[in-house]
Amino acid sequence: MKLAIGSDHGGTELKPIIIEYVKSLGHEIVDLGVPVGEKADYPDYGIKVAEAVANGEYDSGILICGTGIGISIAANKVKGIRCACANEVFSAKMAKEHNNANILALGARVVGTEVAKMIVKEWINAEFQGDRHLKRINIISDYENKKKA
Ligand code: RB5
């Protein structure tokens, strides 16, 4: 799988740890910023990664801010993105199995590094269960497709 990762300044310590971990799981991952030492507004990086995933450059994305909340809200404004803020393992697994989340958002000020790695692994390895869950996701995309640009 080819992933994009992005964060605001709240996520720059956790991000390299997650990058190395994702590589150790056998995936490709590209850092879209923010660079270490720079301050950033979380919507800028949430939208940047979300657009890169939505336009097919990457299969999935990972976003990190202080809580995971702001950056997930921003990412979910991009058409076709289902970004789940999951700061524990059960939600991360369900985010893929039920919601087919194509972006995972983490809160660097909420989770420790080992828990963050477990969350990432559960989400990457889980499989979308389709069926009734697909019907529900389609309700969301139908709504998105009806909206005026
Ligand atoms: C930045 O201080 C902080 O607000 C941000 O990282 C994030 O937690 C927002 O949701």
Side-chain angles (χ1 to χ4, degrees):
M1 193 153 66
K2 188 175 174 192
L3 297 102
I5 189 167
S7 74
D8 70 357
H9 52 280
T12 49
E13 277 182 33
L14 180 59
K15 191 170 54 176
I17 296 167
I18 296 301
I19 290 172
E20 287 316 305
Y21 185 64
V22 167
K23 286 181 183 168
S24 80
L25 296 176
H27 302 285
E28 195 182 328
I29 184 160
V30 177
D31 185 359
L32 300 187
V34 64
V36 183
E38 276 184 35
K39 281 232 168 204
D41 295 319
Y42 61 79
D44 290 336
Y45 287 89
I47 291 167
K48 185 176 185 181
V49 168
E51 285 189 340
V53 171
N55 72 25
E57 279 177 72
Y58 299 92
D59 303 308
S60 301
I62 297 176
L63 290 169
I64 310 173
C65 70
T67 58
I69 296 170
I71 209 157
S72 62
I73 291 172
N76 278 317
K77 297 297 176 193
V78 176
K79 190 174 169 184
I81 292 303
R82 291 175 303 280
C83 177
C85 175
N87 285 317
E88 37 74 31
V89 170
F90 178 75
S91 296
K93 187 169 155 68
M94 290 300 112
K96 182 67 77 57
E97 289 189 355
H98 288 192
N99 315 115
N100 204 15
N102 47 13
I103 301 186
L104 171 72
L106 294 166
R109 297 175 185 153
V110 183
V111 291
T113 55
E114 295 310 309
V115 173
K117 286 195 238 174
M118 279 184 198
I119 290 167
V120 166
K121 187 178 182 182
E122 281 296 330
W123 171 72
I124 284 181
N125 289 342
E127 281 183 25
F128 180 49
Q129 291 178 349
D131 194 42
R132 68 187 189 280
H133 305 297
L134 178 61
K135 176 181 169 250
R136 290 161 186 165
I137 283 175
N138 285 341
I139 295 171
I140 300 170
S141 31
D142 287 351
Y143 173 76
E144 253 179 354
N145 291 331
K146 265 193 326 209
K147 274 196 333 188
K148 293 200 170 67

